[in-house]
Amino acid sequence: MSDATIEEAKAALRAAAHKKRAAFHPSLRDEAAKAAAAHFLDTIPLRRDEVIAGYWPIRDEMDVKSLLGRLMDTGQPVCLPVVLGDEQPLELRLWEEGAPLYEAGFGTLAPAEEAPRAEPDVILMPLLGFDRHGTRLGYGGGYYDRTLASLHKRPRLIGFAFALQEIDQIPRDAHDVPLDAIVTEQGVRHFEKAPVT
């Protein structure tokens, strides 16, 4: 499949995935987020020194704010992404206890500019869709792709999504890094590495 064909297919999948996620009733979202957070804490092993890159949810993404708070309460280092520019990787800033958060692009919040930078061991990723191979359907801006390419080590990639966001198959480009696991309100699923399609 050519790059242009892959991008066309992904654009169609994105449009459908946006609608599907937006249609998930708001009254069910909080319970789903709580269940997903519990599954993550029960299932994903973390070393105390591992840096976790979270995200501040926008629109109808699964809300991980309470999970990030619980991780910080146990002393787990947490960082949040900042959008610096259209063609740049995300900057990951440590969120230190009690530090305020500021507008960080696209409606997200992150620590102030003077906050320490971090290289994460684990990245919690928002997404529009995922498939059974761990392929992630993002928003198409390439921010996470550029960020992963800029890191010195490959972190574990853990997607957070509602179960209804699963898609039969998402075409994968050579630069698309698959998820290691997906967390939904139904549990945690780990993925084997699949070939590029």
Side-chain angles (χ1 to χ4, degrees):
M1 193 180 281
S2 72
D3 288 350
T5 307
I6 287 174
E7 281 314 307
E8 281 178 26
K10 283 184 176 180
L13 289 172
R14 282 187 190 102
H18 266 296
K19 286 181 185 174
K20 192 171 188 179
R21 190 177 69 184
F24 190 43
H25 199 279
S27 66
L28 302 175
R29 290 177 188 281
D30 285 345
E31 288 306 312
K34 286 177 190 170
H39 292 311
F40 175 87
L41 293 168
D42 290 343
T43 308
I44 303 293
L46 298 174
R47 293 191 324 268
R48 293 292 297 240
D49 63 339
E50 284 188 302
V51 176
I52 313 302
Y55 63 91
W56 198 263
I58 57 173
R59 298 186 297 271
D60 43 26
E61 291 175 344
M62 180 173 277
D63 192 337
V64 296
K65 295 190 301 270
S66 65
L67 172 60
L68 299 180
R70 289 172 72 182
L71 291 170
M72 290 175 70
D73 287 346
T74 65
Q76 198 80 46
V78 169
C79 61
L80 291 171
V82 177
V83 175
L84 297 177
D86 285 345
E87 297 302 318
Q88 295 186 51
L90 298 166
E91 184 172 84
L92 298 164
R93 298 177 186 169
L94 275 177
W95 184 13
E96 296 170 310
E97 189 174 348
L101 298 177
Y102 300 92
E103 173 63 37
F106 298 101
T108 65
L109 298 179
E113 195 172 331
E114 59 271 12
R117 301 327 185 240
E119 278 244 342
D121 299 289
V122 178
I123 298 181
L124 311 184
M125 304 180 91
L127 46 83
L128 281 170
F130 64 94
D131 69 14
R132 63 191 171 89
H133 300 295
T135 307
R136 170 186 171 270
L137 182 66
Y139 296 100
Y143 291 103
Y144 279 101
D145 294 329
R146 287 189 294 278
T147 302
L148 292 172
S150 74
L151 298 175
H152 294 98
K153 60 187 176 189
R154 193 223 188 260
R156 285 186 287 161
L157 305 180
I158 301 176
F160 268 78
F162 303 109
L164 60 77
Q165 292 177 254
E166 184 166 3
I167 295 170
D168 286 339
Q169 184 164 2
I170 300 168
R172 188 186 295 175
D173 275 311
H175 67 266
D176 289 332
V177 181
L179 297 168
D180 294 295
I182 185 75
V183 181
T184 73
E185 71 275 19
Q186 295 179 358
V188 177
R189 190 184 327 169
H190 296 271
F191 299 108
E192 297 294 323
K193 298 300 177 239
V196 174
T197 55

